[in-house]
Amino acid sequence: MRDNTLKYLLVLPAILVVFATAVWPLIQSFRFSLFQGRLTRPGFPQGFLGFENYVWALTEEPAFWNSVAVTAVYTVLTVGLTVALALGLALLLVPGGRFRMSVQTLLILPFAMSPALIGVSFRFMFNPEFGLFDAFFGLVIPPLADISWLSDPVLAFAVCVMADVWGWIPFLTLVLIGGLAAIPRDTIEAAQVDGASGWQVFRDVTIPQLLPVLAVVIILKSIFSLKTFDQIYMLTNGGPGTATQTLSHYVYFNGLKYGQLGYSAAVAWLMVIPMIFLTYAYAKLVFRRTQQ
Amino acid sequence: MARILLKNITKRWGDFVAVDRQSLDIKDREFLVLLGPSGCGKTTTMRMIAGLEEPTAGEVWIGDRMVNDDLPKDRDVAMVFQNYGLYPHMSVFNNIAYPLKIRKSVPRSRIPELVNEAAERVELVPFLHRRPRELSGGQRQRVALARAIVREPQAFLMDEPLSNLDAKLRVTMRAELKHLSHELQITTVYVTHDQIEAMTLADRIGVMNEGKIRQLGTPDEIYNDPANIFVADFIGSPSMNLISGRVEGHQFVTVDRHELTRTAMGAMSQAVLGVRAEDIHVVAAGSGDVDGQVYAAENTGENVVLTLQLGGQRITCKEDRYIRFSIGETVGLKFDSNKNYLFDPSTGDRVRSPGN
């Protein structure tokens, strides 16, 4: 057997598995998005609609635009806060010192928790009757006692953001520690001797050299924020009302709760658009770095 | 431009002493080289002057200011790093301009002119718009130099600036450095482990070992008047012959009882004789001070380095490049009785006869 034939034979099983578990469902969901596909009616999918499901979402559904807005604000806030805080932590940890290894090990713990579990535990902690946060705020700032965090639209949204930031900081910190450690020390020392203050060294030398890693981190976190589902589902289930209903949650609700499979497939495909841009940017950055 | 003064500076990391109560007075406009093997504390000493390392004890003075508590940016020194320390995301122009921009010591409008002037001095003008990664090692080195000379600092600090260059380029850059330092007349501290760099560039050399300067002097003094075995052994290539034995009646006798040469000292029960390879001459067997067998003959091109077996000792000498020797051949050795040094083997210090 020629080496080439063997080569393709060896990767064939992997290609088949990817096709069966990723490509085929994608094609199917795209097909559904073009039909009226109601699970509650007989004969699924029912009638061919072309792009009517898409047009409907974009023009006739305020709930769709609500979840677009929720997802956008949620993504901007979680990405911004996580990256900023992780960068701060990484800068504190990168000089090393006696406790660095233990802190780094502790940092892994939140990341090791499943998002659904984080959702459940935050829901407990914000419970107005026996929650940890309620007790804490009651003790420190008495006027804030007995606030029902999760039934206020703004506060519930804030809690979702907080839980996500808490869960993601550790991983991003570790990645940024790696990025910071790779910056040649003498460029930083050269800047110090050249006359730069701590802030100027950070602005002129550290950040520009960290930029490739920072870009990867921001894109990666954006992808994860855009597709957030499990944590929201366990923490607020999109509520109160639709105040924390992200796009993924909206897709789930319409597809599996209301049985509008065709419509929710269309919305899912709309979500794919920003994802493709981000994935493309991510792949480009990563491959450029490995080529260098 | 300034004098740099170190008063008993010490640097310790845990139990490890990198620099041990070292004092040093570097004169205004002087080119001082700190020379020594790796780990001898020379770079640490320089980094303490720059402010990149904090002394465990002692004082650092630049000009008439004690700078122990000053940040590197406030010490007004310029440094050239071993790996150049160029900013990879900036063009050559911006690399050189950075210290001017950040210090705001000159009006913004003058920056291009000053950068051009510095670039001209190191022949970098055609490369000003390139990034450091598009330059060769020698060009990067020159960017680092230009960034240092673009302003007029109190002092230059150079940390093995030539050690990453290939041998040929190192020689050219050495000459350029020498010329530049002559033109600029700014106090310079230069760290290297390369004795040729030290000999050629320095006004004075401080030879360091184990955290201390073992001898401080002009290149001439260091080479021709070493103060101890360490300096004698470290300077010179091939290194100085150090032969164990004793002195009896102004005569040096090896441990194998070979009489080698007359010495200034009358008697020493234990002594180490130091003789440079170029101060021993090979003559016909029987006509020198002592006979030996050729152990190896290496032709370096400019001369022949000969290793001779003399009882249990091996002695190297440098001979004219046209003379050929065969291994095992017996030859005579003639010592120059004015050009040898005696050391005390227990302390390693030079032993000088009274009045010498």
Side-chain angles (χ1 to χ4, degrees), chain B residues 26 69 124 166 186:
Chain B
I26 304 162
D69 298 326
L124 270 177
D166 63 62
I186 289 180

Side-chain angles (χ1 to χ4, degrees), chain B residues 6-10 19-22 45 48 57-60:
Chain B
L6 307 180
K7 290 184 184 168
N8 282 313
I9 56 160
T10 299
V19 177
D20 188 13
R21 283 164 292 143
Q22 183 59 57
T45 305
M48 286 193 281
E59 295 177 0
V60 179

Side-chain angles (χ1 to χ4, degrees), chain A residues 114-116 119 227-235:
Chain A
S114 91
K227 70 189 181 86
T228 301
F229 171 75
D230 34 8
Q231 205 160 293
I232 301 270
Y233 180 74
M234 296 310 289
L235 186 50

Side-chain angles (χ1 to χ4, degrees), chain A residues 184-198 200-201 203-206 208-209 292, chain B residues 47 50 52 72-73 77-79 81 83-90 98-99 102-104 147 151:
Chain A
R185 228 188 124 67
D186 52 6
T187 60
I188 288 165
E189 293 183 339
Q192 289 174 341
V193 177
D194 277 348
S197 64
Q200 286 166 328
V201 172
R203 186 193 63 194
D204 298 341
V205 180
T206 310
Q209 291 192 82
Q292 269 176 8
Chain B
R47 291 171 60 85
L52 296 170
K73 72 184 177 78
V77 294
M79 189 157 170
F81 291 82
N83 299 315
Y84 319 133
L86 302 180
Y87 311 126
H89 53 288
M90 296 185 199
Y98 189 69
I102 210 82
R103 283 179 187 273
K104 302 194 170 84
R147 189 174 59 184
R151 61 199 176 93

